[in-house]
Amino acid sequence: MNTSSYIGRFAPSPSGPLHAGSLVAALASWLDARAHSGTWLVRIEDVDGPRTAPGAEGEILRQLHALGLVPDAPPIRQSERNALYERALQRLRAEDLAYPCGCTRRDIESELAALGQPAQRGAELVYPGTCRNGLNGKPARAWRLRCGNDVRIVWHDRRLGEQQQDVTHAVGDFVLQRADGPWAYQLAVVVDDAEQGITGVVRGEDLADNTARQIHLQRLLGLPTPRYLHTPLLRDARGDKLSKSNGVAALDVSDPLTVLRDAADVLGLSPFRAATLNEWLQHAVQAWRLRWPLA
Ligand code: GLU
């Protein structure tokens, strides 16, 4: 019987098969769960239908399996959990913490320009609050969180140390659901982490910037905050994060030890010899336990 209270998860978006970069997050979350005698779950984050690639979910699970990273329960899919997200949105609406917004990206850009805060190219736009007091006849395009005037979140990352974000000014009233259906990552992840009883979130450092928003939502919804550990990223020769959007190749799992060693190297685990996959995994779990205690 598993007596540990640790529950971790790997939460891939099935926009393509596992690649060398996503394996780093998968391996780290698996190691953390195993090192703390916990449960390891896989959650398929397919809320954004058009970004879901046919067959990717099955391929990701097959690749994980070939590497010995096998979840302790059947994976769940966000696309089947609308009712849970709807309930969370209703709760926020009932407390007037969510409001409909009719702005397009262009509306937001021109409003920001009029306020003397022109948007930086490629940067996330801080919503200026245009629809906070009503839609002014525009059709609703999204539900946004009413963020509050002074939301500062201080949080701890097991690897990066103390982190903080002024959510009000760095992000503003962020989107919870688009009017054409899709739930925002922030809402879905917070609802699912709580509903699955996740105690340890281990994921890539590129997602660290979302954590303050997620903790704010957890507090508004009365949900617990898990422990966080954001891992180093695998970068290409130019220093960019490897991702499906820059065309990275699917992971070839025909030689499991080689790909696992590469991922462990990104995670800073010292190399070690092992004759079999199982032996390698057991050794890696011990090394991880020493390096990342839960204290
Ligand atoms: N689905 C996200 C991704 O693939 C990860 C979300 C998370 O771990 O919180 O980038």
Side-chain angles (χ1 to χ4, degrees):
M1 198 180 95
N2 189 347
T3 51
S4 162
S5 55
Y6 183 107
I7 306 179
R9 73 349 180 242
F10 173 52
S13 305
S15 50
L18 209 61
H19 55 76
S22 44
L23 174 61
V24 174
L27 176 62
S29 67
W30 183 87
L31 286 171
D32 206 43
R34 290 291 172 264
H36 303 107
S37 312
T39 300
W40 187 64
L41 304 175
V42 171
R43 180 169 76 225
I44 303 296
E45 300 215 320
D46 56 351
V47 269
D48 194 349
R51 286 190 56 227
T52 297
E57 174 190 326
E59 188 54 26
I60 291 170
L61 297 173
R62 269 191 297 280
Q63 290 168 300
L64 290 172
H65 208 274
L67 299 171
L69 310 181
V70 182
D72 294 314
I76 60 159
R77 289 184 200 92
Q78 287 190 325
S79 57
E80 294 168 357
R81 295 163 68 82
N82 276 333
L84 289 169
Y85 313 138
E86 189 61 53
R87 204 179 306 149
L89 178 63
Q90 292 304 339
R91 177 164 171 179
L92 294 170
R93 285 179 59 183
E95 294 177 39
D96 198 26
L97 289 166
Y99 65 88
C101 167
C103 296
T104 61
R105 186 174 171 96
R106 189 170 299 172
D107 292 337
I108 299 172
E109 280 168 356
S110 43
E111 177 76 21
L112 287 172
L115 291 168
Q117 305 159 15
Q120 304 291 319
R121 232 183 122 76
E124 247 183 86
L125 302 178
V126 178
Y127 185 63
T130 324
C131 295
R132 211 175 273 154
N133 300 315
L135 282 162
N136 286 321
K138 290 193 279 191
R141 301 176 61 89
W143 283 94
R144 285 185 184 272
L145 183 79
R146 194 182 297 282
C147 186
N149 288 335
D150 190 19
V151 177
R152 279 164 214 275
I153 303 288
V154 179
W155 58 280
H156 178 76
D157 184 280
R158 289 164 56 203
R159 174 174 156 258
L160 303 171
E162 187 177 291
Q163 306 287 306
Q164 49 180 309
Q165 187 177 50
D166 173 345
V167 180
T168 305
H169 297 101
V171 189
D173 293 354
F174 56 89
V175 171
L176 300 168
Q177 185 189 25
R178 295 211 310 261
D180 55 352
W183 295 96
Y185 159 62
Q186 312 297 351
L187 182 81
V189 86
V190 160
V191 168
D192 284 337
D193 282 341
E195 199 274 337
Q196 294 189 283
I198 302 298
T199 61
V201 169
V202 178
R203 59 186 177 194
E205 197 179 275
D206 54 321
L207 294 167
D209 187 44
N210 294 281
T211 310
R213 265 170 280 181
Q214 293 173 11
I215 293 174
H216 183 47
L217 267 180
Q218 286 155 5
R219 292 178 183 166
L220 294 177
L221 290 165
L223 302 174
T225 292
R227 289 189 180 90
Y228 289 98
L229 189 160
H230 289 87
T231 70
L233 301 180
L234 180 59
R235 298 186 185 275
D236 63 17
R238 296 198 349 240
D240 293 331
K241 180 204 164 197
L242 278 197
S243 71
K244 290 159 207 156
S245 51
N246 54 31
V248 62
L251 193 70
D252 173 1
V253 291
S254 59
D255 181 2
L257 283 179
T258 301
V259 290
L260 286 169
R261 281 192 179 112
D262 288 347
D265 184 49
V266 176
L267 292 169
L269 295 182
S270 311
F272 47 84
R273 282 181 186 283
T276 63
L277 175 59
N278 254 343
E279 195 186 313
W280 189 91
L281 289 170
Q282 279 176 26
H283 198 299
V285 166
Q286 281 168 28
W288 186 272
R289 188 182 294 124
L290 292 174
R291 193 176 164 125
W292 300 112
L294 278 184

